[in-house]
Amino acid sequence: MIYGFLHQGSGFGNQLHRYIATRVRALDLGVDWAMIYNPDGSGKEEGFKGKTFMEFDNAKILYPRKMTVDTVWYEKKIVEDGVDIRSYDPEFNFIEDNTAIEGEFQDERYWEHREKEVDEWLKVEPPWGTVIVVNALVVPIVPDDLCVIGFRGGEFAIYPDLFLTKSYWDEGIKKMKDINPNMRFEVHTDDEVLAKQFFPDYKVIHDIGINWRSCRYARYAIIANSSFYILPRWLNKGLTIAPRWWGRHNIKVWALPQNFYKRFQYI
């Protein structure tokens, strides 16, 4: 059995990366898997934050009071000049059975070799609700003139090195309009108030299920440096504009290097 951790304080994007890394390592070993849920002391036991719109076997969530794990493997973290520069830890490939794994696991090298399975695990319905059948396959009808803007506000906004400036969004929008002058834009965000200040002319949507599913299917996207948007866009394979230097775009220092994805276009 390979165990992963779901933490109460983690966002949905962080939970997803822990979840798929756990399943990938278990699959590579040919063993079972489960997720250990750690509440933050509030007494809440919400578990998997995508359960309202994504299939998940709740029987696979184990609570600390129900079990203990003796062996925990930690992803190597590297800090240089105060900046977290962790990337792929190849020791992941030597994790053995009956181990719990703790880390961010956002580097694509952890899970890209299991893309087909990851795509299946994270399957969701398209937000537009319309599909066509092609050769017995159900295919979503995706608007070809819609660009999703994945805007992260909230606690990001208090960190000047992290919070993306309006110039980043303006450059991304310009690139999309170069592709299609009539491109439509929707803003999908955790911070509706701040998003409306940045994008007063666009529709703003604050709904975790609609946000994630829209990112998963839209042909075009401009995303923030948030883990929430990584996997839906990586699986999508459409045009995704992302911030170069990721967590330190504003000061031009890569943090985290694990967040360089070959499928994204960085500006």
Side-chain angles (χ1 to χ4, degrees):
M1 179 84 75
I2 297 295
Y3 303 92
F5 289 97
L6 298 176
H7 296 289
Q8 173 69 22
S10 295
F12 181 52
N14 295 103
Q15 285 194 342
L16 280 187
H17 286 96
R18 292 167 177 267
Y19 164 57
I20 67 168
T22 301
R23 292 196 66 172
V24 163
R25 187 58 193 151
L27 184 61
D28 288 349
L29 286 172
V31 300
D32 203 358
W33 63 276
M35 304 302 295
I36 302 170
Y37 180 67
N38 287 331
D40 60 3
S42 65
K44 296 180 181 179
E45 294 186 349
E46 297 176 353
F48 185 62
K49 295 181 177 179
K51 60 186 176 182
T52 59
F53 64 94
M54 183 182 292
E55 291 186 10
F56 187 84
D57 184 356
N58 286 313
K60 292 286 189 178
I61 298 183
L62 308 175
Y63 292 87
R65 65 172 182 268
K66 297 179 180 178
M67 72 162 298
T68 59
V69 178
D70 293 329
T71 304
V72 181
W73 179 89
Y74 293 90
E75 180 186 34
K76 186 176 182 180
K77 181 177 180 179
I78 301 174
V79 177
E80 183 178 283
D81 296 329
V83 177
D84 187 345
I85 60 168
R86 89 178 77 188
S87 191
Y88 178 65
D89 187 343
E91 284 298 309
F92 180 82
N93 298 284
F94 298 92
I95 294 170
E96 298 180 350
D97 192 11
N98 296 317
T99 302
I101 63 174
E102 180 74 276
E104 299 303 327
F105 306 116
Q106 292 179 22
D107 195 300
E108 62 187 10
R109 286 172 287 183
Y110 288 118
W111 27 263
E112 63 182 347
H113 66 290
R114 292 292 187 179
E115 179 178 354
K116 181 179 179 181
E117 290 85 357
V118 172
D119 191 33
E120 183 65 26
W121 299 336
L122 304 187
K123 184 179 292 183
V124 291
E125 295 294 327
W128 304 287
T130 53
V131 297
I132 58 175
V133 178
V134 179
N135 296 327
L137 296 175
V138 177
V139 180
I141 298 176
V142 181
D144 60 5
D145 63 343
L146 175 65
C147 175
V148 164
I149 294 175
F151 178 81
R152 178 65 185 268
E155 70 274 18
F156 273 39
I158 67 176
Y159 298 103
D161 291 349
L162 178 65
F163 185 57
L164 296 170
T165 62
K166 193 171 185 301
S167 62
Y168 165 76
W169 301 106
D170 289 344
E171 184 178 354
I173 290 170
K174 180 181 182 302
K175 286 183 176 293
M176 290 298 179
K177 287 186 175 180
D178 287 343
I179 295 171
N180 180 357
N182 297 314
M183 189 76 79
R184 297 182 296 115
F185 296 90
E186 281 184 358
V187 183
H188 291 264
T189 183
D190 65 321
D191 191 332
E192 189 174 1
V193 174
L194 193 56
K196 287 181 177 179
Q197 296 176 20
F198 269 66
F199 310 100
D201 299 325
Y202 301 149
K203 182 178 181 180
V204 174
I205 301 171
H206 174 37
D207 180 294
I208 185 174
I210 296 175
N211 296 156
W212 203 90
R213 291 186 295 134
S214 296
C215 286
R216 176 67 180 83
Y217 284 104
R219 297 183 191 277
Y220 305 99
I222 309 166
I223 63 171
N225 42 13
S226 167
S227 63
F228 181 88
Y229 305 105
I230 295 169
L231 284 166
R233 293 311 303 170
W234 188 84
L235 290 167
N236 178 282
K237 300 181 185 177
L239 175 58
T240 299
I241 290 178
R244 185 178 174 187
W245 304 288
W246 199 251
R248 295 297 182 271
H249 175 80
N250 299 339
I251 61 173
K252 298 182 170 62
V253 175
W254 266 106
L256 303 153
Q258 67 180 1
N259 295 123
F260 175 81
Y261 305 98
K262 296 185 289 289
R263 295 177 181 175
F264 293 177
Q265 181 181 128
Y266 289 86
I267 60 173

